[in-house]
Amino acid sequence: MATKNQITGGGFQDALGNPLALGYLQFELSQDSQVNGTTQIAAGYIVKINLDSSGNISTSPAQSVWPNDVISPVGTFYLVSAFSANGQLVWGPNAQQVLSTPSPFDIGVWVPASVNTGLGGSSSTFPSTIGNLPSFVNTTGGLQDSGVEAADVVLRSSNNQFGNTIQTFGLSGSGEVQVSNIGITIIDPSLTNVAAIDTATGTGLFSKLATSQTPAASTTASDHSVPIVLNGTTYYMRLSTTP
Amino acid sequence: MARVAFPLSVFQDSDGNPVSFGRVLVNISTDVQTPTPEHIAASFVVGIDLDVNGAVIGSPLVWPNAELTPSDAVYVYSVYSQVGQAIVREASLTV
């Protein structure tokens, strides 16, 4: 049975090393979750973690939270903020994860802006199919309705759902990553390649758009045949006066 | 992996007069992790007092930027006179 893990350390300080003495952290789980198959964890219940006079997490009493790697669904994270003793927000909010090992878990190892929010955990469908996403997913605290340009996006598929095991989108210039509350769409600058990902299921769709076509009509007997070249392949559309 | 001396030691105004009993406010541009490993809070602003000659009082230490993660963070500092007039406003500093 999974248990909560004690969190320690942190060493929160200012630029000159003065500790965030007697400040506190707030932990907000990214979404409602479940642990051990029966216990519900309410995301809206913000947890307050006290810091000691050295800016470290107080150990008396021990402060413990549910590790993200033992709760469902996979890929959750905590939005963590640090406040001074008088309530001023000084750090974060940053997306971070607490793991079940080591125990206790030293939060000093956290690297700000390093957790991919909205992509799920390492064992879920998403990270196995998508990687190297631009930093916007690290820092905004979730998906948002805005277009974001990125330099490069690499999609990896374990079940051929993008039609390729690896598909790279070089997006510098007019390429775009569009994120909405239902999915992610990636369009390359030539408007040739498009990938769409359903964020709820992880289902991906990769396709090439028809960008070059050569319509030219010809006639065969009583029918008209219109060849159309799409991405190098010729298709024929027949027009006939015969029902 | 060690902190080093804050590289700015004496402050003057544009006329060359010392910023007597002024104050330097310093923070880091973004939340960062130190090598120890600990956390520097970007919005946790710290003050450095200046003496009559505009010299830094004490020996404040800072982490070299290259040892911080993310490494693109910079220090941001502002200098105020004794009466609170801004002499330098939000200048960037890489150590």
Side-chain angles (χ1 to χ4, degrees), chain A residues 184-204:
Chain A
I184 299 174
T185 303
I186 302 167
I187 308 169
D188 75 2
S190 67
L191 301 180
T192 300
N193 298 317
V194 174
I197 305 151
D198 184 332
T199 50
T201 65
T203 302

mmCIF file of all heavy atoms in Angstrom, chain A residues 184-204:
data_model
loop_
_atom_site.group_PDB
_atom_site.id
_atom_site.type_symbol
_atom_site.label_atom_id
_atom_site.label_comp_id
_atom_site.label_asym_id
_atom_site.label_seq_id
_atom_site.Cartn_x
_atom_site.Cartn_y
_atom_site.Cartn_z
ATOM 1 N N ILE A 184 -3.540 19.155 -28.615
ATOM 2 C CA ILE A 184 -2.401 19.907 -29.113
ATOM 3 C C ILE A 184 -2.319 19.677 -30.620
ATOM 4 O O ILE A 184 -2.427 18.542 -31.093
ATOM 5 C CB ILE A 184 -1.092 19.440 -28.453
ATOM 6 C CG1 ILE A 184 -1.157 19.666 -26.937
ATOM 7 C CG2 ILE A 184 0.113 20.169 -29.044
ATOM 8 C CD1 ILE A 184 0.025 19.110 -26.194
ATOM 9 N N THR A 185 -2.151 20.752 -31.354
ATOM 10 C CA THR A 185 -1.976 20.647 -32.796
ATOM 11 C C THR A 185 -0.640 21.267 -33.160
ATOM 12 O O THR A 185 -0.299 22.352 -32.683
ATOM 13 C CB THR A 185 -3.105 21.381 -33.538
ATOM 14 O OG1 THR A 185 -4.351 20.838 -33.127
ATOM 15 C CG2 THR A 185 -2.947 21.203 -35.040
ATOM 16 N N ILE A 186 0.109 20.567 -33.970
ATOM 17 C CA ILE A 186 1.429 21.047 -34.391
ATOM 18 C C ILE A 186 1.429 21.155 -35.910
ATOM 19 O O ILE A 186 1.059 20.217 -36.613
ATOM 20 C CB ILE A 186 2.530 20.080 -33.931
ATOM 21 C CG1 ILE A 186 2.470 19.923 -32.404
ATOM 22 C CG2 ILE A 186 3.902 20.573 -34.367
ATOM 23 C CD1 ILE A 186 3.288 18.775 -31.878
ATOM 24 N N ILE A 187 1.821 22.313 -36.396
ATOM 25 C CA ILE A 187 1.811 22.571 -37.831
ATOM 26 C C ILE A 187 3.186 23.062 -38.226
ATOM 27 O O ILE A 187 3.729 23.965 -37.594
ATOM 28 C CB ILE A 187 0.761 23.644 -38.189
ATOM 29 C CG1 ILE A 187 -0.604 23.267 -37.602
ATOM 30 C CG2 ILE A 187 0.678 23.832 -39.699
ATOM 31 C CD1 ILE A 187 -1.617 24.388 -37.693
ATOM 32 N N ASP A 188 3.765 22.465 -39.252
ATOM 33 C CA ASP A 188 5.088 22.911 -39.656
ATOM 34 C C ASP A 188 4.976 24.116 -40.592
ATOM 35 O O ASP A 188 3.894 24.451 -41.074
ATOM 36 C CB ASP A 188 5.894 21.762 -40.262
ATOM 37 C CG ASP A 188 5.446 21.411 -41.669
ATOM 38 O OD1 ASP A 188 4.538 22.075 -42.198
ATOM 39 O OD2 ASP A 188 6.000 20.463 -42.237
ATOM 40 N N PRO A 189 6.097 24.820 -40.790
ATOM 41 C CA PRO A 189 6.026 26.082 -41.543
ATOM 42 C C PRO A 189 5.513 25.926 -42.967
ATOM 43 O O PRO A 189 4.929 26.851 -43.515
ATOM 44 C CB PRO A 189 7.481 26.575 -41.542
ATOM 45 C CG PRO A 189 8.107 25.908 -40.376
ATOM 46 C CD PRO A 189 7.440 24.577 -40.267
ATOM 47 N N SER A 190 5.728 24.766 -43.574
ATOM 48 C CA SER A 190 5.292 24.589 -44.963
ATOM 49 C C SER A 190 3.814 24.258 -45.057
ATOM 50 O O SER A 190 3.277 24.124 -46.148
ATOM 51 C CB SER A 190 6.100 23.463 -45.615
ATOM 52 O OG SER A 190 5.776 22.218 -45.018
ATOM 53 N N LEU A 191 3.178 24.103 -43.911
ATOM 54 C CA LEU A 191 1.766 23.723 -43.848
ATOM 55 C C LEU A 191 1.534 22.366 -44.509
ATOM 56 O O LEU A 191 0.457 22.065 -45.007
ATOM 57 C CB LEU A 191 0.878 24.786 -44.500
ATOM 58 C CG LEU A 191 0.962 26.183 -43.880
ATOM 59 C CD1 LEU A 191 0.051 27.141 -44.616
ATOM 60 C CD2 LEU A 191 0.635 26.149 -42.412
ATOM 61 N N THR A 192 2.570 21.548 -44.526
ATOM 62 C CA THR A 192 2.469 20.219 -45.111
ATOM 63 C C THR A 192 2.141 19.165 -44.064
ATOM 64 O O THR A 192 1.314 18.289 -44.275
ATOM 65 C CB THR A 192 3.781 19.842 -45.814
ATOM 66 O OG1 THR A 192 4.039 20.797 -46.832
ATOM 67 C CG2 THR A 192 3.695 18.449 -46.427
ATOM 68 N N ASN A 193 2.820 19.248 -42.935
ATOM 69 C CA ASN A 193 2.665 18.231 -41.898
ATOM 70 C C ASN A 193 1.874 18.772 -40.718
ATOM 71 O O ASN A 193 2.125 19.877 -40.234
ATOM 72 C CB ASN A 193 4.035 17.761 -41.414
ATOM 73 C CG ASN A 193 4.827 17.122 -42.528
ATOM 74 O OD1 ASN A 193 4.282 16.346 -43.313
ATOM 75 N ND2 ASN A 193 6.090 17.471 -42.621
ATOM 76 N N VAL A 194 0.950 17.977 -40.272
ATOM 77 C CA VAL A 194 0.129 18.351 -39.129
ATOM 78 C C VAL A 194 0.038 17.159 -38.194
ATOM 79 O O VAL A 194 -0.142 16.025 -38.639
ATOM 80 C CB VAL A 194 -1.296 18.771 -39.566
ATOM 81 C CG1 VAL A 194 -2.174 19.000 -38.344
ATOM 82 C CG2 VAL A 194 -1.245 20.018 -40.421
ATOM 83 N N ALA A 195 0.191 17.409 -36.923
ATOM 84 C CA ALA A 195 -0.045 16.368 -35.922
ATOM 85 C C ALA A 195 -1.077 16.895 -34.943
ATOM 86 O O ALA A 195 -1.027 18.060 -34.537
ATOM 87 C CB ALA A 195 1.234 16.008 -35.190
ATOM 88 N N ALA A 196 -2.005 16.063 -34.584
ATOM 89 C CA ALA A 196 -3.015 16.433 -33.604
ATOM 90 C C ALA A 196 -3.018 15.386 -32.505
ATOM 91 O O ALA A 196 -2.942 14.189 -32.778
ATOM 92 C CB ALA A 196 -4.386 16.521 -34.256
ATOM 93 N N ILE A 197 -3.068 15.847 -31.290
ATOM 94 C CA ILE A 197 -2.998 14.946 -30.147
ATOM 95 C C ILE A 197 -4.162 15.249 -29.213
ATOM 96 O O ILE A 197 -4.351 16.397 -28.812
ATOM 97 C CB ILE A 197 -1.674 15.124 -29.381
ATOM 98 C CG1 ILE A 197 -0.485 14.956 -30.337
ATOM 99 C CG2 ILE A 197 -1.586 14.141 -28.219
ATOM 100 C CD1 ILE A 197 0.719 15.740 -29.923
ATOM 101 N N ASP A 198 -4.913 14.236 -28.898
ATOM 102 C CA ASP A 198 -5.996 14.380 -27.934
ATOM 103 C C ASP A 198 -5.391 14.272 -26.540
ATOM 104 O O ASP A 198 -4.897 13.221 -26.152
ATOM 105 C CB ASP A 198 -7.030 13.274 -28.162
ATOM 106 C CG ASP A 198 -8.240 13.406 -27.254
ATOM 107 O OD1 ASP A 198 -8.093 13.951 -26.147
ATOM 108 O OD2 ASP A 198 -9.328 12.951 -27.653
ATOM 109 N N THR A 199 -5.432 15.350 -25.787
ATOM 110 C CA THR A 199 -4.760 15.334 -24.489
ATOM 111 C C THR A 199 -5.464 14.452 -23.470
ATOM 112 O O THR A 199 -4.872 14.050 -22.483
ATOM 113 C CB THR A 199 -4.654 16.755 -23.941
ATOM 114 O OG1 THR A 199 -5.938 17.375 -24.013
ATOM 115 C CG2 THR A 199 -3.663 17.567 -24.722
ATOM 116 N N ALA A 200 -6.714 14.153 -23.690
ATOM 117 C CA ALA A 200 -7.426 13.312 -22.725
ATOM 118 C C ALA A 200 -7.070 11.848 -22.884
ATOM 119 O O ALA A 200 -6.948 11.117 -21.916
ATOM 120 C CB ALA A 200 -8.932 13.502 -22.888
ATOM 121 N N THR A 201 -6.880 11.417 -24.136
ATOM 122 C CA THR A 201 -6.633 9.993 -24.385
ATOM 123 C C THR A 201 -5.215 9.702 -24.830
ATOM 124 O O THR A 201 -4.787 8.552 -24.807
ATOM 125 C CB THR A 201 -7.593 9.473 -25.468
ATOM 126 O OG1 THR A 201 -7.287 10.148 -26.701
ATOM 127 C CG2 THR A 201 -9.047 9.737 -25.089
ATOM 128 N N GLY A 202 -4.504 10.728 -25.252
ATOM 129 C CA GLY A 202 -3.172 10.503 -25.788
ATOM 130 C C GLY A 202 -3.179 10.058 -27.233
ATOM 131 O O GLY A 202 -2.139 9.791 -27.817
ATOM 132 N N THR A 203 -4.356 9.956 -27.820
ATOM 133 C CA THR A 203 -4.453 9.526 -29.205
ATOM 134 C C THR A 203 -3.850 10.571 -30.131
ATOM 135 O O THR A 203 -4.118 11.755 -30.003
ATOM 136 C CB THR A 203 -5.929 9.304 -29.592
ATOM 137 O OG1 THR A 203 -6.473 8.339 -28.699
ATOM 138 C CG2 THR A 203 -6.034 8.799 -31.025
ATOM 139 N N GLY A 204 -3.049 10.098 -31.061
ATOM 140 C CA GLY A 204 -2.415 11.016 -31.973
ATOM 141 C C GLY A 204 -2.821 10.770 -33.405
ATOM 142 O O GLY A 204 -3.203 9.665 -33.797
#
